[in-house]
Amino acid sequence: MIKYFIMLNILISSVILNSLAPLMPVFQNRLNISISASSSIPVFGVLGTTIFSFIMSILISKFGVKKSNYFGYVFLFIGLLFFSFSRNLTGIILASFLVGASSSILFTSLTTLLAHLDNPKFGLTHAFFGMGGIIAPFLVSLSIKYDFSYRYLYLTYLILMLLMFIWNFFIKVPEAKYETMKFAKIKKTILKPVFFISIISFLLYSGSEIGLVTWISNLFIYFGHSADKAALSISMFWIFYTIARFLSDFVVKSINEKKIVVFCSLFSSVLIVIMLLTKNSYVFLVIGFLMGAIFPMIQRYANMNLNKDEVGLLNGVTYGSTGIGGMIFSYFMGLLSNKSIPSMFILPIIGLILVFFLQILERRGTKT
């Protein structure tokens, strides 16, 4: 029952988060703003993720999972209401910030709970995040095609998360509480190579993923696709991405996490270059397949190689680092759009190459 609770929460939260990227052209048109100006929307979303991830990395040991979930739901409800009823850029930015904050709180608490279960399936759990990435662009594409306001999508999401909020009251969740970590303990944990190299890798990988998916609609429109077809391309990306995450729990039994991450990060960067040179959007699907396994395999390795009382800190800082990466990459990719649309995608190429080298570095450090 607990695993179903975790997976459904991650699925719906993912649908909410992944609705933003395909809606970017819609916000640009409805609010009459440029691509560069619209970059503030995802930037504030990841800013919310960053701030509250670091806060929760410390406080989750005091509040436990169940209370942390309540905080996440409250932020999410307010953010969804702003998305549903705001009619200006300021309101949409605030909505993005609150939804980003809520996602960091929920993901920190849910993945910490997962790490305390027997035989945690990080690949399977993150596959539900990928499923949300499949569903969200499809829903957005339908709403664009049939001129169905995105506001009703966000109201639907609100109703679904209200059901999760009610479920949280009744489910028996092991709190996984620990004594609040002191500064000396936090410092010792952070200085472990498995910790800080994983965190830097999360920052670079998530920045690459968030930036890539956030702006890919604009790239495909530049290639000549319509807005609804660009949204469907994102949905197809998430299908392959999710298949990879389902498979990763099986593949890791034969190939260790490090080898998976090294291979996938290197070839993802190569394929982005190929996609830009050939203008072939189908390459994007293969990129999705390769990128799908990277995050859960880094997270699985780190969670399995730290003490149980350290994983709450790890998972909080993890989503904080993803927020920083997403904020940096999304913002600067938006700025690069003033030069040219394809030039925006230099940043995720660099980010994935750096992940490749960092994982090799940590792997060699482990052997010595």
Side-chain angles (χ1 to χ4, degrees):
M1 185 63 72
I2 294 174
K3 289 182 179 179
Y4 293 128
F5 176 77
I6 293 172
M7 292 173 185
L8 280 174
N9 270 279
I10 287 178
L11 173 63
I12 301 170
S13 298
S14 174
V15 171
I16 296 169
L17 288 173
N18 287 299
S19 292
L20 184 61
L23 279 171
M24 290 300 290
V26 175
F27 289 133
Q28 291 156 14
N29 290 330
R30 296 287 178 88
L31 302 175
N32 194 26
I33 55 176
S34 66
I35 294 174
S36 180
S38 69
S39 65
S40 59
I41 298 173
V43 165
F44 273 86
V46 293
L47 180 63
T49 299
T50 303
I51 293 172
F52 282 88
S53 291
F54 286 119
I55 291 173
M56 290 308 299
S57 69
I58 304 299
L59 295 182
I60 190 171
S61 61
K62 179 178 180 180
F63 293 135
V65 171
K66 204 163 192 176
K67 288 182 180 178
S68 298
N69 284 342
Y70 290 139
F71 290 128
Y73 292 133
V74 170
F75 277 83
L76 183 59
F77 296 153
I78 298 172
L80 291 174
L81 287 172
F82 269 100
F83 265 128
S84 300
F85 298 106
S86 296
R87 299 184 180 276
N88 54 58
L89 180 59
T90 302
I92 298 299
I93 287 173
L94 181 57
S96 183
F97 178 86
L98 290 168
V99 169
S102 70
S103 68
S104 68
I105 297 170
L106 289 172
F107 288 172
T108 298
S109 60
L110 292 170
T111 52
T112 299
L113 174 60
L114 178 67
H116 285 78
L117 300 180
D118 294 332
N119 190 25
K121 300 287 187 181
F122 281 93
L124 177 62
T125 302
H126 283 288
F128 277 83
F129 184 89
M131 288 174 64
I134 297 168
I135 296 168
F138 177 72
L139 294 176
V140 172
S141 178
L142 288 178
S143 71
I144 294 172
K145 186 174 182 179
Y146 295 104
D147 198 25
F148 185 77
S149 176
Y150 67 87
R151 303 178 193 280
Y152 297 119
L153 284 179
Y154 283 112
L155 286 173
T156 303
Y157 300 155
L158 177 62
I159 293 170
L160 291 173
M161 289 309 288
L162 277 171
L163 295 176
M164 295 297 102
F165 178 80
I166 294 169
W167 191 0
N168 197 60
F169 273 104
F170 296 101
I171 194 169
K172 188 176 181 180
V173 176
E175 287 300 330
K177 285 186 180 181
Y178 294 97
E179 186 177 321
T180 302
M181 296 181 74
K182 294 181 172 58
F183 177 76
K185 173 66 174 175
I186 294 173
K187 182 180 178 181
K188 182 180 178 182
T189 302
I190 290 174
L191 290 177
K192 291 183 177 182
V194 65
F195 189 102
F196 69 79
I197 289 181
S198 295
I199 292 302
I200 297 171
S201 296
F202 284 136
L203 185 153
L204 292 166
Y205 165 75
S206 294
S208 301
E209 180 197 297
I210 292 168
L212 181 68
V213 176
T214 297
W215 298 114
I216 200 70
S217 289
N218 291 101
L219 179 67
F220 287 157
I221 290 170
Y222 171 81
F223 285 164
H225 294 255
S226 63
D228 61 307
K229 286 185 178 179
L232 281 176
S233 295
I234 297 176
S235 186
M236 292 300 295
F237 167 92
W238 287 110
I239 289 174
F240 284 85
Y241 180 96
T242 303
I243 290 171
R245 290 195 160 182
F246 274 117
L247 293 175
S248 64
D249 280 325
F250 299 98
V251 175
V252 78
K253 295 176 182 178
S254 303
I255 305 173
N256 66 46
E257 299 97 335
K258 288 292 180 184
K259 289 181 180 178
I260 294 172
V261 174
V262 166
F263 175 85
C264 291
S265 57
L266 176 62
F267 282 95
S268 293
S269 63
V270 171
L271 285 174
I272 295 173
V273 174
I274 292 173
M275 179 179 67
L276 294 175
L277 293 176
T278 63
K279 299 183 179 181
N280 188 336
S281 60
Y282 291 106
V283 177
F284 186 54
L285 310 184
V286 185
I287 295 170
F289 183 79
L290 290 174
M291 292 185 72
I294 297 175
F295 189 101
M297 290 299 99
I298 298 174
Q299 190 175 42
R300 185 183 191 279
Y301 179 85
N303 273 267
M304 296 298 100
N305 285 276
L306 289 170
N307 298 323
K308 291 296 184 184
D309 61 342
E310 296 173 323
V311 297
L313 177 66
L314 171 73
N315 291 319
V317 178
T318 291
Y319 295 109
S321 67
T322 63
I324 292 173
M327 182 168 53
I328 293 171
F329 278 64
S330 295
Y331 178 72
F332 283 101
M333 286 178 73
L335 290 182
L336 284 171
S337 69
N338 292 324
K339 182 178 181 181
S340 73
I341 300 297
S343 69
M344 299 166 71
F345 295 87
I346 294 172
L347 288 182
I349 293 168
I350 294 172
L352 289 166
I353 291 173
L354 290 175
V355 171
F356 166 76
F357 283 113
L358 280 169
Q359 291 300 306
I360 289 178
L361 178 66
E362 203 279 331
R363 185 183 177 191
R364 289 179 176 175
T366 301
K367 287 182 177 180
T368 56

